[in-house]
């Protein structure tokens, strides 16, 4: 391999690894790293995934089947049956590092599960236990200066991997709770067991080269004054002098902000001098840096995510630059208190209340195949749904800095829990140990180290001791002490009561372990659920959509977990299950008229949750007619997904501040190919629920209260809406508009819900049994659309079965598209038009499409109306009005027309992107994933046009094909690059 030059800084060791089962390796660690190193991937050695786990490596090498496909997980030997030695593995690699005089090298492991022996060039070092702790080994004196360094790591599984009872359950037999490790690995009601319990070098491995002095865990804190006009940046660092003499150091701190791409403005540059005794550590606090009117960091939907770059450089007299460190940092202040009106915890960011709408998160992949690319997609998906918080559930990971980086970038607040869950730490079947892990000191060491790792991220909003449980008394008391707030960050409650204790006021806040975020002992305490630890989150099943709006739906102010269905599209089922797993559920009619869904065994194994709740909720898929096959079932499931999650969030938002302060949906995604509680599947294809959330959680929103039938306007922004109006139009299955009204709203106060008017339809005479409602909130001054919301509805006690013959209606569409591509990145701009003729000339505003979110390309809200006969020149002008120019190769405008003679709604349109292949195997999954859509699963009324933006990356040598599917459209190719 190429030599690693001894430049100051960190170098990841993330390639060239080999792995082998320890019982199949005949040499010792000393021999492996001196006389008998493996020479390549020949038995028993195989290419290893590092960072990664043993099971991930075995899957990569096809030694075991894919545990996420069908029932293949059952074919993999569980650690409880094979024994811990079966999943004890050697990992081996080489690296080069030629140090110069007075340089030092550390070998760093950011996460190993669960303990390890490290052998480097014949020297043995033992790493202590604990999944959530960093290890840094000074290997300066044992490196080979002029040849490869041989590194072998023997990784042992958790001490208490536990057994999986026949009935499964939450956390298996709960033995895993005795260790400081992830607890989901014994299986849950949404997850199959992970056979190796995540054994492996699961996080980053690196070497870091420094001069005589090393920088350790700087802590950045901002404190505000004068209503956020003045801010001070506080910085405390730890410095280690590895040399045998006193080090005279110049400490330089520089703060820059990017004003344009690749152009940075230096906001501050300060130099301090310090002496560090030989072979010792010293904590140093910089004088605070003053900023006037800084750019603030705001959560998604509240403003920009302004980030500064803070760099610290240590120069040592007689040596030069010894070490450096940098971090993106956002100026913001997060506060919270228990709201007197609702009893829920109310969060404020930079003094502004924020209504929390977000989701629960386990981790992106159950085999810990973690990557920056995957994290980028995951977090952008959450921002695209207009979410503002992710809760990192206690049975999963303490998430990685890369996860937090993207949360910083996209403005997603993070609720981070420690490694306690009620099921594994105090309840369950069998009843689990309430005293948490066996080694409390280890838990607390890992907790302190985790705080140091993550505390500089502006997205990190609060620490929580555990899921549905409080940590054992001594751990909880220690965490409260570690995470006590500095007086500058103690919240003032709604009555303006000041903090009581000013005794610590003079201590610089950066000298605290954290000091800036609250610690809550458990997810059901202190303003969450009933606030007293009662099991009052949930429910977790399908609901009648109107029930979310009712007074008695949920009694408490902040629900940390409410869950429901999550069926993916049919292509995902085909890609993740054999033919026998593609059978749709059997619908069993019960004596009371309700239907019970009986899924096939593979769906049951993948934790399928039904779309019916006998005695309470009629089957929501059968409302559209009994599905014929997998495609029909999955498409109807998307209709339900959209309605279910839009109603959930609209119901909560309808009671913003009067009853609720926030809600977190259980859960946003699955770390495997599960069939419940997700807005995008493990392959990264979105369900329609994704777009139901995106609609419902937009910062300014118009909605129909399904319980009262009042039209409501939601303004979660800090600005008053003035001079706006609502257009409400009802459409029937014949394409006519039996109801049309415009309702003026002179003003909508900030952070308020305004009920505007009760919908008179369907109370009018002769209402249609199935109808469509289109709501548009617009600016009267320029007709710019602020919010668009489309409903399909039926009369009370009815169903949607009349939509079944509607599939045969041929509604004409015109799709104008333009593609920009740069390398493997594609950005496609489309204008989708329902060209069926309108039947009512008074519908003046229907020419407008939907608005774009903050992160979409700019859209001009001038008229998007075009006639079916518009020429090329006019279309080019139209695109110039809608889109700003994008960099990259432009293939020009293309027009696809779908002919039809009917007038009506183009219903539930859905784009997808595929690899363009003239020939492919039957059943082959040709989708290109992930894809970011500005909207999907949308509908257009006659004469309406909507801009859609699509972006994605393609593998080398692949050309994309864009296809359209809809309720009344079979698969249509609308853009083919071939």
């Amino acid at each position: 391999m190429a030599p690693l030059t001894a430049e100051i800084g960190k170098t990841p060791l993330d390639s060239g690894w080999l792995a082998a089962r320890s019982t199949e390796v005949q040499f010792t660690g000393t021999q492996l790293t001196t006389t008998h190193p493996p020479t390549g991937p020949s038995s028993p050695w195989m290419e290893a995934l590092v960072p990664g786990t043993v099971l991930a490596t075995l899957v990569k090498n096809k030694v075991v089947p894919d545990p996420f496909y069908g029932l293949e997980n059952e074919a993999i030997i569980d650690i409880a049956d094979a024994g811990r030695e079966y999943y004890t593995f050697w990992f081996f690699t080489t690296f080069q590092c030629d140090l110069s005089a007075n340089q030092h090298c550390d070998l760093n492991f950011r996460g190993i599960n669960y303990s390890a022996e490290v052998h480097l060039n014949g020297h043995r070092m033992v790493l202590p236990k604990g999944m959530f702790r960093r290890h840094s080994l000074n290997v300066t004196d044992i490196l080979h200066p002029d040849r490869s360094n041989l590194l072998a790591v023997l990784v042992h599984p958790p001490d208490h991997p536990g057994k999986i009872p026949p009935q499964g359950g939450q956390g298996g037999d709960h033995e895993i709770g005795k260790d400081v490790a992830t607890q989901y690995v014994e299986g849950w009601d949404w997850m199959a067991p992970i056979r190796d319990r995540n054994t492996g070098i699961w996080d980053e491995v690196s070497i870091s080269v420094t001069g005589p002095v090393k920088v350790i865990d700087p802590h950045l804190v901002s404190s505000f004054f004068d209503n956020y006009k003045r801010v001070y940046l506080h910085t405390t660092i730890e410095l280690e002098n590895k040399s045998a003499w006193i080090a005279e150091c110049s400490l330089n701190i520089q703060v820059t902000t990017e004003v344009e791409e690749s152009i940075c403005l230096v906001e501050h540059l300060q130099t301090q001098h310090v002496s560090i005794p030989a072979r010792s550590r010293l904590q140093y606090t910089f004088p605070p840096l003053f900023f006037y009117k800084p750019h603030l960091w705001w959560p998604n939907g509240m403003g920009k995510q302004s980030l500064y770059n803070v760099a610290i450089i240590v120069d040592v007299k007689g040596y030069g630059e010894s070490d450096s460190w940098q971090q993106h940092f956002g100026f913001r202040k997060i506060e919270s208190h228990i709201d007197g009106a609702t009893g829920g915890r109310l969060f404020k960011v930079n003094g502004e209340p924020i209504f929390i709408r977000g989701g629960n998160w386990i981790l992106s992949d159950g085999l810990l195949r973690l990557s920056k690319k995957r994290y980028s997609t995951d977090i952008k998906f959450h921002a695209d749904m207009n979410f503002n918080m992710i809760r990192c559930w206690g049975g999963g990971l303490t998430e990685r800095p890369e996860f937090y980086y993207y949360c910083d970038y996209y403005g997603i607040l993070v609720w981070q829990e420690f490694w306690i869950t009620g099921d594994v730490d105090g309840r369950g079947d069998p009843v689990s140990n309430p005293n948490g892990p066996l080694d409390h000191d280890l838990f607390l060491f890992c907790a302190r180290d985790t705080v140091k790792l993550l505390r500089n991220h502006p997205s990190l909003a609060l620490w929580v001791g555990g899921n549905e449980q409080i940590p054992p008394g001594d751990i909880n008391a220690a965490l409260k002490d570690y995470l006590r707030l500095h007086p500058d960050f103690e919240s003032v409650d709604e009555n303006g009561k000041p903090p009581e204790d000013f005794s610590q006021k003079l201590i610089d806040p950066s000298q605290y372990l954290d000091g800036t975020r609250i610690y809550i002992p458990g997810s059901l305490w202190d303003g969450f659920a009933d606030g007293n630890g009662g099991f009052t989150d949930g429910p977790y099943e399908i609901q009648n959509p109107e029930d979310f709006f009712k007074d008695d739906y949920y009694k408490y102010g902040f629900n940390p977990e409410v869950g429901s269905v999550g069926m993916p599209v049919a292509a995902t089922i085909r890609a993740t299950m054999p033919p026998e797993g593609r059978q749709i559920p059997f619908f069993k009619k019960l004596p009371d008229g309700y239907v019970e869904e009986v899924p096939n065994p593979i769906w049951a194994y993948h934790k399928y949750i039904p779309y019916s709740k006998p005695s309470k909720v009629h089957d929501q898929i059968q409302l559209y007619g009994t599905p014929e096959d997998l495609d029909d079932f999955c498409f109807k499931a998307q209709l339900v997904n959209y309605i279910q999650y839009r109603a959930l969030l609209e119901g909560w938002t309808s009671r913003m501040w009067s009853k609720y302060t926030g809600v977190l949906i259980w859960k946003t995604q699955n770390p495997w190919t599960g069939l419940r509680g997700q807005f995008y599947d493990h392959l990264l294809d979105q369900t329609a629920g994704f777009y139901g959330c995106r609609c419902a959680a937009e910062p300014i929103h118009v909605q129909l209260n399904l319980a009262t039938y009042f039209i409501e306007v939601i303004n979660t922004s800090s600005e008053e809406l003035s001079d706006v109006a609502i257009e409400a139009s009802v459409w029937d299955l014949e394409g006519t508009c039996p109801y049309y009204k415009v309702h003026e709203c002179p003003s909508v106060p900030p952070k308020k819900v305004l009920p505007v008017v009760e919908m008179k339809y369907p109370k009018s005479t002769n209402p249609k049994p199935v109808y469509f409602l289109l709501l548009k909130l617009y600016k009267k001054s320029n007709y710019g659309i602020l919010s668009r919301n489309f409903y399909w509805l039926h009369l009370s006690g009815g169903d949607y079965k009349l939509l079944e013959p509607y599939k045969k209606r041929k509604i004409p569409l015109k799709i104008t598209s333009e593609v920009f591509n740069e390398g493997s990145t594609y950005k496609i701009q489309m204008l989708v038009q329902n060209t069926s003729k309108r039947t009512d000339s008074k519908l003046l505003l229907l020419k407008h499409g939907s608005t774009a979110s903050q992160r979409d390309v700019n859209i001009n809200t001038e008229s998007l109306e075009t006639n079916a006969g518009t020429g090329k020149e006019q279309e080019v002008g139209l695109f110039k009005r809608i889109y700003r120019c994008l960099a990259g190769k432009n293939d020009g405008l293309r027009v696809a027309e779908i002919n039809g003679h009917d007038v009506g709604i183009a219903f539930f349109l859905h784009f997808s992107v595929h690899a363009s292949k003239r020939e492919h195997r039957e059943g082959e999954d040709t989708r290109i994933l992930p894809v970011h859509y500005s909207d999907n699963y949308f509908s257009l009324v006659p004469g309406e046009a909507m801009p859609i933006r699509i972006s994605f990356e393609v593998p080398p040598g692949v050309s994309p094909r864009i296809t359209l599917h809809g309720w009344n459209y079979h698969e249509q190719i609308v853009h083919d690059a071939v």
Side-chain angles (χ1 to χ4, degrees), residues 642 686 688 691-692 694 908-912 933-938 948 964:
Y642 192 101
Q686 300 101 329
Y691 298 97
R694 179 179 173 88
F908 218 52
L909 303 178
H910 169 224
F911 286 109
S912 57
Y933 302 91
S934 64
D935 207 348
N936 221 349
Y937 296 101
F938 61 95
I948 299 292
L964 174 72

Side-chain angles (χ1 to χ4, degrees), residues 129 147 172 248 281 287 293 305 321 352 478 518 550 563 565 617 668 722 766 777 939:
K129 299 174 182 179
R147 54 192 170 95
E248 300 294 339
R281 289 192 176 193
K293 291 185 178 180
Q305 290 73 52
E321 182 178 329
E352 293 282 346
I518 60 165
K550 293 179 178 177
V565 292
V617 181
T668 56
S722 59
N766 300 319
L777 176 69
S939 303

